[in-house]
Amino acid sequence: MLEEKEGADLHDAVANLGGVAGVISMAAGHKAAAKVQAQFAGLMRDLCVSDEIANEIAASGGVEALVGAAHRHFDDSEVMLEVADALRNLSHVDAVSLSVAKAGGIEVLVDGVARHSSNTKVRYVSVTEGFQ
């Protein structure tokens, strides 16, 4: 989706794709591709470093897209880990945490732990860090 980018480079790359809404739209075109969905979730995780961006992600349908990716790729531990990380970061904004809960984000975290109980990364992110 995007090459490894950080900081301002990451934000510039996202802007070139049409902003957060453009990235969400692009990921929606590849719903069946677990690798793309994992990269999308990782990008959402990395982008929500401010309340403003987290709110933009939520307003653009990003929360629902993340939950949808988890539902479609529940058997893929990489997707589940990245989605759990993204939902965790997004949930640090009160208004967005309500959106995460309403979209089924809590159930996604519980399901991720149940399905990937042997994967310590999924368990750790979903249980110890999720929704603090």
Side-chain angles (χ1 to χ4, degrees):
M1 181 179 289
L2 290 175
E3 301 166 14
E4 292 290 321
K5 297 193 182 285
E6 295 181 6
D9 289 340
L10 176 62
H11 292 278
D12 289 345
V14 169
N16 289 336
L17 292 171
V20 169
V23 172
I24 293 168
S25 176
M26 185 173 62
H30 302 280
K31 289 180 179 179
K35 181 107 175 132
V36 171
Q37 296 302 300
Q39 290 173 343
F40 162 69
L43 178 59
M44 294 296 103
R45 175 204 60 222
D46 292 346
L47 283 176
C48 56
V49 295
S50 72
D51 291 4
E52 180 182 345
I53 297 172
N55 283 315
E56 182 181 353
I57 290 169
S60 299
V63 171
E64 293 81 6
L66 289 164
V67 170
H71 284 295
R72 280 186 302 282
H73 302 286
F74 59 84
D75 58 338
D76 189 302
S77 62
E78 183 180 358
V79 172
M80 296 303 288
L81 175 63
E82 297 293 354
V83 167
D85 262 349
L87 293 177
R88 178 203 60 214
N89 285 359
L90 286 164
S91 70
H92 285 279
V93 177
D94 289 341
V96 179
S97 66
L98 185 58
S99 297
V100 169
K102 285 181 178 180
I106 295 169
E107 291 84 355
V108 162
L109 294 176
V110 171
D111 187 53
V113 170
R115 291 179 188 275
H116 302 281
S117 61
S118 64
N119 186 316
T120 55
K121 288 182 182 180
V122 172
R123 265 196 347 252
Y124 180 78
V125 170
S126 296
V127 175
T128 61
E129 294 185 4
F131 299 97
Q132 290 183 354

